Amino acid sequence: MFIERNRRPMAAAALGLASVLALTSCSSGQQAAGSGGGEVAKVDGKISLTYLQKQGDQEYFVGEAAGAKAKADELGIDLKVVNLGTDANKTISEAQSAISQKSNGLIVVVPDPAVGPQVAQLAKDAGIALLTSDDQICTTGPDPASCPADALVPRIGFSGAQMGGEVGKRAAAEFLKAGWNPAETRTISAWKQDVTVCTDRVKASKEAFAAAGAKVQNIDVPTDNSPTGAQDKIAATVTANPSVKHWVVWGCNDENVQGGVTALENAGFKADDVIGVGLGAYLACKNWSSGKPSGMKAALFINGEDVGALAVQTMYDKLKNGKAFPKEAFAPTTMVDAATWKSAGVTCG
């Protein structure tokens, strides 16, 4: 995982928050159990929050933590950020630790959604507010995809359908511009298949690609959402399809697409025979900063700072002012490429 910071200046992040796309309320009008509903008391004094993040050394989450800390400083909040890595058990122990240290609220990005019900129960029993960022969790079962809407914990992040749709549309435009023979082309959808938000993104990418008139056979590639994991899996896929001359790659995040682009490069494919459309831009930009031709043709820029700051602001509004959590709150995104990434505010460490 990369740890170099990749984010816009704080002033730009604040502007991004001002243009939050959507705040929707629960269809039932009630907050899910343990999600910071009416049972959570307002805080009169200083607010203490704990932000539990999976893969805290990943580029996106480094930015998310920075945005959360900046907003906490602005609002006078005591904030502790904890890197959970990929350890689902650590989620529980750190949530218990936060409760014992009298945190007023928990913001969680879980390594595994299966721990969702236990985290939600801990928060409910302690009477503290619970909010997720990025990935969803359910209060009643391990799989958010099969969770009743009113049992989903309120989430701050991005719209998976919107992001995936933008990626698919750009991939289709690049494919049609290239003029490749569909019979000699394959698309690769790479993602960790038990992560609901990833599945939402990939599904939307496939649908948008097809809707644009790009008819190409797709290959689903299960990965661990890391560059090396994706590279290994996609390398095997390429080897198993020796007749394919052109490849289009998308996935849950920049890591999957970067892994795919690298695998194809190592297999001898030239940049003109590869279309990679990333999601994040924090790795894609490294290809463009070299000035050399790359199979990474574009990426959707998502700024973790916006999400971290919005999550802390949403917690503050709930605990200080009694404002109900939205069901979801979405931050803005921007499609960038080799010609536009710098002007869009993407920075590469």
Side-chain angles (χ1 to χ4, degrees):
M1 294 299 176
F2 290 81
I3 60 174
E4 295 90 352
R5 292 178 184 271
N6 168 30
R7 58 185 194 273
R8 289 171 284 173
M10 291 298 174
L15 289 173
L17 293 177
S19 58
V20 168
L21 297 180
L23 295 176
T24 57
S25 60
C26 289
S27 59
S28 66
Q30 300 295 319
Q31 296 296 322
S35 65
E39 75 278 4
V40 176
K42 290 202 295 183
V43 178
D44 293 327
K46 192 166 190 175
I47 293 172
S48 175
L49 300 179
T50 302
Y51 210 130
L52 306 179
Q53 289 183 311
K54 71 176 184 183
Q55 299 174 301
D57 58 352
Q58 186 193 65
E59 187 77 13
Y60 170 82
F61 291 115
V62 171
E64 184 176 77
K69 290 172 183 176
K71 179 58 68 172
D73 288 344
E74 175 189 324
L75 297 173
I77 292 172
D78 283 333
L79 175 69
K80 180 181 180 182
V81 178
V82 179
N83 178 11
L84 301 173
T86 58
D87 188 348
N89 291 328
K90 190 175 181 181
T91 311
I92 304 304
S93 61
E94 290 293 347
Q96 291 170 329
S97 176
I99 290 168
S100 69
Q101 294 172 19
K102 307 301 182 184
S103 281
N104 302 117
L106 290 175
I107 306 170
V108 186
V109 192
V110 293
D112 185 341
V115 301
Q118 191 171 352
V119 173
Q121 192 63 50
L122 285 169
K124 181 181 180 182
D125 291 346
I128 68 172
L130 175 64
L131 188 64
T132 65
S133 68
D134 305 292
D135 299 343
Q136 288 182 313
I137 62 173
C138 179
T139 65
T140 58
D143 182 9
S146 58
C147 186
D150 61 357
L152 287 169
V153 173
R155 181 180 76 92
I156 306 298
F158 297 98
S159 165
Q162 182 270 332
M163 289 193 298
E166 291 299 316
V167 167
K169 283 191 291 185
R170 181 58 180 260
E174 295 286 343
F175 167 73
L176 295 172
K177 182 174 66 174
W180 296 342
N181 180 351
E184 299 176 338
T185 306
R186 295 291 183 273
T187 63
I188 286 178
S189 301
W191 80 105
K192 192 172 188 295
Q193 296 182 352
D194 62 350
V195 178
T196 307
V197 293
C198 288
T199 301
D200 292 343
R201 296 171 190 179
V202 168
K203 180 175 181 288
S205 293
K206 292 179 183 179
E207 292 173 347
F209 188 83
K215 306 298 183 183
V216 177
Q217 183 178 330
N218 177 76
I219 301 173
D220 288 341
V221 179
T223 74
D224 62 0
N225 277 353
S226 74
T228 54
Q231 182 178 334
D232 291 344
K233 293 287 189 177
I234 292 173
T237 300
V238 172
T239 300
N241 292 271
S243 64
V244 177
K245 296 181 179 180
H246 314 288
W247 293 91
V248 182
V249 185
W250 59 65
C252 178
N253 54 18
D254 256 22
E255 283 79 0
N256 281 288
V257 183
Q258 182 62 62
V261 168
T262 301
L264 288 161
E265 180 180 293
N266 291 345
F269 285 86
K270 296 181 180 180
D272 287 345
D273 293 315
V274 178
I275 294 171
V277 181
L279 203 161
Y282 45 85
L283 298 185
C285 62
K286 297 179 187 297
N287 298 273
W288 305 325
S289 62
S290 70
K292 298 178 182 178
S294 172
M296 186 75 78
K297 297 301 191 290
L300 191 68
F301 178 33
I302 59 174
N303 192 334
E305 279 196 5
D306 285 350
V307 173
L310 182 56
V312 170
Q313 181 69 62
T314 302
M315 265 290 187
Y316 177 88
D317 291 341
K318 169 67 177 178
L319 295 173
K320 186 61 67 174
N321 303 317
K323 183 178 179 180
F325 283 146
K327 179 181 178 182
E328 290 185 303
F330 299 145
T333 61
T334 306
M335 186 63 71
V336 297
D337 55 29
T340 62
W341 66 276
K342 289 183 179 179
S343 61
V346 182
T347 57
C348 286

